[in-house]
Amino acid sequence: MSPSKSASTARPNSASADRRSYHHGDLRRAVLSAALDVIAAEGPGALSLRDLARRAGVSHAAPAHHFKDRTGLLTAIAAEGFGLLADALREASGLREASGLREAGVSYVRFAREHPAHFQVMFSPQLLRTEDLELITARALASDALTRAVAGVDPGDRGPDSRLAGMAAWSLAHGYATLLLGHNLDGRLGEEDPEDTFRALTEMLFHSAAD
Amino acid sequence: MSPSKSASTARPNSASADRRSYHHGDLRRAVLSAALDVIAAEGPGALSLRDLARRAGVSHAAPAHHFKDRTGLLTAIAAEGFGLLADALREASGLREASGLREAGVSYVRFAREHPAHFQVMFSPQLLRTEDLELITARALASDALTRAVAGVDPGDRGPDSRLAGMAAWSLAHGYATLLLGHNLDGRLGEEDPEDTFRALTEMLFHSAAD
DNA sequence: TGTACATCAGTGAACGCGCGTTCACTGATGTAC
DNA sequence: TGTACATCAGTGAACGCGCGTTCACTGATGTAC
């Protein structure tokens, strides 16, 4: 997903894909895309709007038309991330109830692997405009999807055990995903697929509740 | 633990604690301490050596004598953090074997709450000189303490189940701690002590193995 | 006990750099009539 | 179908700022004799 490629495909009037028009076409997407590349490779600390403008091939002041500043950009990424996560979780909880919880966890881990930059930014509140409405909305949707997925453990129960189970499942998936992305499990995993290992691990812990 | 306080207590020749001598006495500690304050409050992105020098009351070039650069400083913090974590885990696994695992997890969570800045930096490899010898050593010690604590689940077993249980316990504690520090559990916890909640949660999951 | 010297920690001026921000501008697009 | 105008996205020069780095220096401490 290189910036220039996504930009040229997304450009509305693509009579000639090569000729650079004055208007970029989808600079917002191009800047987001470049930012995700940088974050995944070097972390959010390495971000600068000028650098992203350079990567997108526009003048350095252009990105400010779409994202007020660095924080605005990161907030947009986090909001997009929560949206993607909510989609992934909703998909997983559509499965049979018994396996809903397990698959929600696996989806969570898969999401983190497929969108490492989003994942990293979503849970770094110090980088974000936490009062941003779009962010709050997206996070609420994801939180809702998460709760629904977890409620699949024992749907009748709304008591403290269900609350605990929810936090346990989230902590487990979040911790596993975080350690995985930080390469902290490299020595402990064999050749196996990390998602399979996570599935095995979940089954071991939740076997009494989920089967 | 304010920088000036820890500095004056640590100063070797404290004939007069008020008179500023040309030499700081323990600038290394003062800079580390100021850095931890900044990280806890605003995140690692807000760090600059010049700012820390200002906070420690020395000229801006002084910190370079102790930490080559920002990365060097963060690496030192991470190494110190792994040392502290190893201590905490070793203390916990000194308890009776049956409760060793549970208490190791609780210690892990407590460590994260008591040293949020260390914790954050330790698991942000993008900020660190990962090839640093001191860091590698400290991390290995902590990893060792972790493995020992987890082996308490069923000490005889070295098979795949034990490996899985280890990753599960670590993921759980790490995820819970991370979500807690990021204020993601604020809505889900009641008035209870977060560590008690974590203990309850662990007991729920591991009851068959640990009791 | 006293003197000379090496070492080390911290100083402060200077430098060059990349950054965000501002601003008057220009090219392109869409809409009203 | 054609013309006028408003709007919007992107330009490029300019600015001031905080940063890291360098360097010759100075004050303090410890050690050799």
Side-chain angles (χ1 to χ4, degrees):
Chain A
M1 194 173 21
S2 87
S4 61
K5 203 159 134 207
S6 77
S8 65
T9 19
R11 192 171 310 155
N13 54 341
S14 52
S16 155
D18 291 299
R19 185 171 48 80
R20 291 269 129 189
S21 67
Y22 189 89
H23 285 99
H24 182 281
D26 197 358
L27 181 57
R28 183 186 157 86
R29 193 65 250 163
V31 170
L32 279 173
S33 180
L36 293 171
D37 288 349
V38 173
I39 293 169
E42 304 168 61
L47 273 192
S48 89
L49 290 184
R50 276 182 109 112
D51 178 50
L52 296 175
R54 234 173 275 130
R55 286 168 186 257
V58 294
S59 78
H60 64 265
H65 283 270
H66 299 275
F67 312 97
K68 193 177 149 282
D69 52 21
R70 236 179 73 106
T71 306
L73 169 62
L74 288 164
T75 302
I77 289 175
E80 183 177 80
F82 279 113
L84 292 168
L85 176 60
D87 290 348
L89 290 177
R90 259 186 241 113
E91 205 171 302
S93 68
L95 303 175
R96 281 175 303 109
E97 288 184 7
S99 62
L101 170 66
R102 280 204 292 269
E103 292 312 312
V106 174
S107 292
Y108 195 96
V109 172
R110 187 184 309 125
F111 168 81
R113 291 183 71 205
E114 286 176 354
H115 305 281
H118 285 96
F119 188 77
Q120 198 174 152
V121 172
M122 287 158 68
F123 296 101
S124 302
Q126 288 158 332
L127 300 176
L128 308 175
R129 196 110 52 208
T130 43
E131 73 278 11
D132 180 86
L133 194 64
E134 210 179 332
L135 174 62
I136 290 174
T137 309
R139 176 186 279 132
L141 284 177
S143 179
D144 188 57
L146 193 76
T147 306
R148 274 174 208 280
V150 166
V153 196
D154 40 7
D157 193 356
R158 308 230 129 271
D161 267 13
S162 161
R163 222 192 71 233
L164 272 189
M167 286 196 288
W170 191 12
S171 295
L172 188 70
H174 191 80
Y176 186 87
T178 306
L179 291 173
L180 194 64
L181 291 190
H183 296 285
N184 287 104
L185 298 180
D186 289 2
R188 301 182 187 241
L189 288 166
E191 298 293 306
E192 319 146 65
D193 177 40
E195 280 155 41
D196 288 341
T197 303
F198 179 76
R199 206 188 312 264
L201 186 155
T202 311
E203 273 174 36
M204 187 191 79
L205 285 187
F206 285 96
H207 64 94
S208 57
D211 275 344
Chain B
M1 194 168 32
S2 88
S4 60
K5 205 156 132 206
S6 76
S8 64
T9 20
R11 193 170 307 155
N13 55 341
S14 52
S16 153
D18 290 300
R19 185 169 48 80
R20 291 269 129 191
S21 67
Y22 188 89
H23 285 97
H24 182 281
D26 197 357
L27 181 57
R28 185 186 155 87
R29 192 67 249 163
V31 170
L32 279 173
S33 179
L36 293 171
D37 287 350
V38 172
I39 294 168
E42 303 168 62
L47 272 194
S48 91
L49 290 185
R50 277 182 109 111
D51 178 50
L52 296 175
R54 236 173 274 130
R55 287 169 187 257
V58 293
S59 79
H60 65 264
H65 283 268
H66 299 275
F67 312 98
K68 195 178 149 278
D69 52 20
R70 236 180 73 106
T71 306
L73 170 62
L74 287 163
T75 302
I77 290 176
E80 182 177 79
F82 279 113
L84 292 168
L85 176 60
D87 290 348
L89 290 177
R90 261 187 241 113
E91 206 172 304
S93 68
L95 303 174
R96 280 176 303 110
E97 289 183 6
S99 63
L101 171 66
R102 280 205 291 271
E103 292 312 312
V106 174
S107 292
Y108 195 97
V109 172
R110 188 185 307 125
F111 169 80
R113 292 183 72 207
E114 286 176 353
H115 306 282
H118 284 96
F119 188 77
Q120 200 175 151
V121 172
M122 286 157 67
F123 296 100
S124 302
Q126 287 157 333
L127 300 176
L128 308 176
R129 195 111 52 207
T130 44
E131 74 278 11
D132 180 85
L133 194 64
E134 212 179 332
L135 175 63
I136 291 173
T137 308
R139 175 186 282 133
L141 284 178
S143 180
D144 187 57
L146 194 77
T147 306
R148 274 174 207 281
V150 165
V153 196
D154 41 4
D157 193 357
R158 308 230 130 270
D161 268 14
S162 159
R163 221 190 72 234
L164 273 189
M167 286 196 287
W170 190 14
S171 295
L172 188 70
H174 191 80
Y176 186 87
T178 306
L179 292 173
L180 195 65
L181 291 190
H183 296 286
N184 287 103
L185 297 180
D186 288 3
R188 298 178 190 244
L189 287 165
E191 297 294 304
E192 319 145 65
D193 175 40
E195 281 156 42
D196 287 342
T197 303
F198 179 75
R199 205 190 311 265
L201 187 154
T202 310
E203 275 175 35
M204 188 190 78
L205 286 187
F206 284 95
H207 64 93
S208 56
D211 278 344

